[in-house]
Amino acid sequence: MEPSSAATPLVGLPLTEGGLPAKDLIDLYYLRFHSAHPILVPQRLLPGTVGQYPAYLETVMQYIGSIFLLRTSSQPYRTAAESVMLVREEQRDGHTVQAMLLFAIVLHASNEQEYATHVIRVAVDIALRLGMNRKGFACANSKGDAVLEESWRRTWFELYVVNALMAAAHQAETFELYDVDAEVGLPCEEAVYTAGQGIPKPHTVAQFHNRALSSDDIKFSSFSYRIDAVRILGSLMYNMPRMPPDESSMVEELDATLVGWSLHLPASKREAIDREGNVDEMLFQANMIVNTSLIMLHRPRSDLVFANVADKTECTPPRSFANPISSYHIHSAKAIRAASGLSSLVTLPTSLLNHTPFFSCAIALGAIVHLSAYVTGCNENEARCSMQRIRLAVGALKTSKEVWPIAGTLFKQIKELARDAFVTSHAGGLRPVHPPSQSGINLSEADDAWLNEFVGGFA
């Protein structure tokens, strides 16, 4: 029997080994996942809204919550979450888009790439058919509730963000929503949305794009800067395969746009962490996207691509070559700086498991850059710095693989690539990098010990 979109209480779902009720799984969803993809109403307002949520959306929330129960199988909840794909055509609505969007994120993180791509494309088709990109949709479907209206705006832009991130991870040349006109107002700040009171009239995309020359002192949300980062990523993805014979102007424009994104950040947005140590997940992801885009632009034009190391992983692009518009060294420096920016995000004082699962792909891409820098490094200090950042990436993937299978795949692949890079560097006559206590000592027997410590120290 096909599921109905009508809201009904959840029945028949198994409890966890500890008898965990459905509500606790919803709590886990909000505690560990919601801040990374904040489209549903804030948890404190959920009791008044849950009756408006269809059962299949609740099952997707429960499934995501169950993933963070490391000692309990999430498979029963996964099976229940599949019901979103069975909703009849005439009953598919905005909630269907929300459920499919969240489901697709988790499918990607579970290494089910083809299925994830299918689900996100279905969600995109439904959203466009419903007109979720139009200004009137949010108001018409919120019954006068400002929080619900904001939730719909967030849903559209989250679909845009995730559509792009999945396409980039799969090395696509563009994504379905890249050039779709959207009239939707920009999301507000996370603190305002979480409070559920005083939701302001949304600013427009046009206002955001004109902010540098505007005399108005408009404060845009972190979510808005994340959306803009994705816009730049989309332009990069679209233009890179279509570069003209004299591509210097296009490369310079893309580089200027990416660098300018950071330069135009207001003082309050220059760090992804506030004075109390709270990480702004929207700014975190925006910086992740910008640094990833910089690597995609500069790495093919750098001398890093000439490093004799394998560099293909589950969600990083294969080695490619492009014409440099300046020296190879300058492009390498820009790519390494961006990879170091990704490393800095890893070190922020928050649990890696609270970040978007897309961060694993960014970590892997940064590690590829550092592996190449290690092999091509000019001196031992540079090589040691690269090695430590590779270790950081491997450690981050080790932590993330506790929850996300894609991180486990990348963990194995990066570890093997690191082993190859070390052996290649040593066999080619480059200096092996020893721990500080061994630095400068010619210990051939220590090479294997240090190699094992590096790649074998992460089980």
Side-chain angles (χ1 to χ4, degrees):
M1 177 178 175
E2 291 184 330
S4 167
S5 64
T8 56
L10 295 175
V11 294
L13 289 181
L15 297 176
T16 63
E17 293 178 1
L20 198 66
K23 179 183 178 300
D24 288 356
L25 294 176
I26 299 295
D27 289 343
L28 276 170
Y29 167 86
Y30 276 99
L31 178 65
R32 306 308 298 271
F33 188 84
H34 173 75
S35 64
H37 300 281
I39 62 171
L40 302 184
V41 297
Q43 187 175 16
R44 60 182 294 273
L45 302 177
L46 193 61
T49 308
V50 73
Q52 302 175 42
Y53 278 168
Y56 59 74
L57 176 53
E58 294 179 24
T59 61
V60 172
M61 296 167 70
Q62 289 188 25
Y63 168 47
I64 295 173
S66 72
I67 292 172
F68 292 93
L69 294 172
L70 304 183
R71 298 180 181 178
T72 302
S73 172
S74 62
Q75 186 57 46
Y77 301 95
R78 156 63 188 272
T79 301
E82 295 264 9
S83 64
V84 67
M85 303 306 297
L86 302 177
V87 177
R88 291 192 295 266
E89 184 73 26
E90 67 273 14
Q91 294 181 326
R92 290 179 170 180
D93 57 14
H95 293 310
T96 317
V97 174
Q98 291 177 323
M100 288 185 177
L101 171 57
L102 296 171
F103 191 39
I105 295 170
V106 176
L107 288 172
H108 163 81
S110 300
N111 251 345
E112 298 184 57
Q113 305 304 340
E114 290 187 9
Y115 192 14
T117 299
H118 168 70
V119 174
I120 201 68
R121 285 176 176 168
V122 174
V124 165
D125 289 344
I126 297 171
L128 293 176
R129 177 176 57 80
L130 294 172
M132 294 184 75
N133 58 317
R134 300 305 177 192
K135 183 178 180 180
F137 179 88
C139 180
N141 290 272
S142 59
K143 300 178 181 179
D145 188 321
V147 176
L148 280 177
E149 188 173 339
E150 171 71 9
S151 174
W152 289 127
R153 289 192 289 268
R154 287 166 169 261
T155 299
W156 167 258
F157 282 115
E158 193 67 23
L159 186 65
Y160 174 75
V161 169
V162 172
N163 187 208
L165 293 180
M166 287 183 59
H170 302 160
Q171 294 90 57
E173 292 186 0
T174 187
F175 56 100
E176 286 81 359
L177 297 181
Y178 168 61
D179 56 358
V180 171
D181 291 332
E183 306 164 354
V184 183
L186 293 169
C188 65
E189 287 286 14
E190 299 309 297
V192 176
Y193 184 52
T194 300
Q197 297 178 346
I199 304 289
K201 179 181 178 180
H203 300 304
T204 67
V205 173
Q207 286 176 311
F208 185 90
H209 289 167
N210 296 327
R211 68 193 184 283
L213 303 177
S214 174
S215 59
D216 298 328
D217 184 23
I218 300 177
K219 293 179 172 60
F220 294 96
S221 67
S222 298
F223 204 138
S224 299
Y225 287 96
R226 176 175 175 248
I227 294 165
D228 195 49
V230 169
R231 177 189 65 82
I232 301 171
L233 170 64
S235 179
L236 178 72
M237 292 168 60
Y238 179 83
N239 285 294
M240 282 187 64
R242 300 170 176 83
M243 288 287 184
D246 180 12
E247 62 185 45
S248 59
S249 60
M250 179 64 70
V251 175
E252 288 173 351
E253 179 182 344
L254 290 168
D255 187 46
T257 303
L258 287 164
V259 174
W261 181 91
S262 298
L263 294 177
H264 285 292
L265 288 173
S268 61
K269 303 291 184 185
R270 290 174 188 162
E271 300 289 342
I273 186 170
D274 63 22
R275 293 181 178 179
E276 286 73 41
N278 301 310
V279 173
D280 184 330
E281 180 65 24
M282 295 295 96
L283 271 183
F284 174 96
Q285 291 184 35
N287 280 280
M288 174 193 80
I289 293 163
V290 167
N291 282 310
T292 298
S293 299
L294 282 165
I295 293 173
M296 291 169 62
L297 178 64
H298 290 291
R299 179 172 170 257
R301 296 170 170 81
S302 72
D303 54 10
L304 298 173
V305 294
F306 299 112
N308 186 24
V309 292
D311 57 4
K312 183 70 175 73
T313 71
E314 182 69 24
C315 58
T316 57
R319 187 187 316 239
S320 62
F321 302 88
N323 294 325
I325 65 168
S326 53
S327 70
Y328 287 117
H329 178 69
I330 290 177
H331 288 293
S332 294
K334 290 184 176 183
I336 293 171
R337 181 179 181 181
S340 298
L342 293 174
S343 297
S344 296
L345 293 178
V346 173
T347 65
L348 289 177
T350 188
S351 170
L352 288 168
L353 300 182
N354 289 342
H355 294 314
T356 174
F358 289 105
F359 189 38
S360 294
C361 289
I363 292 172
L365 182 60
I368 293 294
V369 171
H370 289 308
L371 281 169
S372 299
Y374 167 71
V375 172
T376 61
C378 298
N379 57 61
E380 187 167 330
N381 287 334
E382 290 182 3
R384 180 176 290 108
C385 184
S386 297
M387 181 66 80
Q388 293 306 320
R389 285 174 174 149
I390 297 165
R391 288 178 60 86
L392 178 67
V394 174
L397 292 172
K398 179 187 178 184
T399 297
S400 300
K401 76 183 182 71
E402 296 176 7
V403 171
W404 305 121
I406 193 170
T409 298
L410 293 167
F411 168 77
K412 294 176 183 177
Q413 291 173 336
I414 294 296
K415 205 166 72 161
E416 186 60 34
L417 293 180
R419 180 184 295 275
D420 291 344
F422 187 97
V423 172
T424 298
S425 175
H426 194 182
L430 300 176
R431 77 272 144 242
V433 180
H434 299 296
S437 61
Q438 297 172 343
S439 181
I441 301 176
N442 184 16
L443 294 176
S444 59
E445 292 182 359
D447 294 344
D448 288 338
W450 173 231
L451 172 62
N452 289 331
E453 178 187 345
F454 173 65
V455 296
F458 297 99

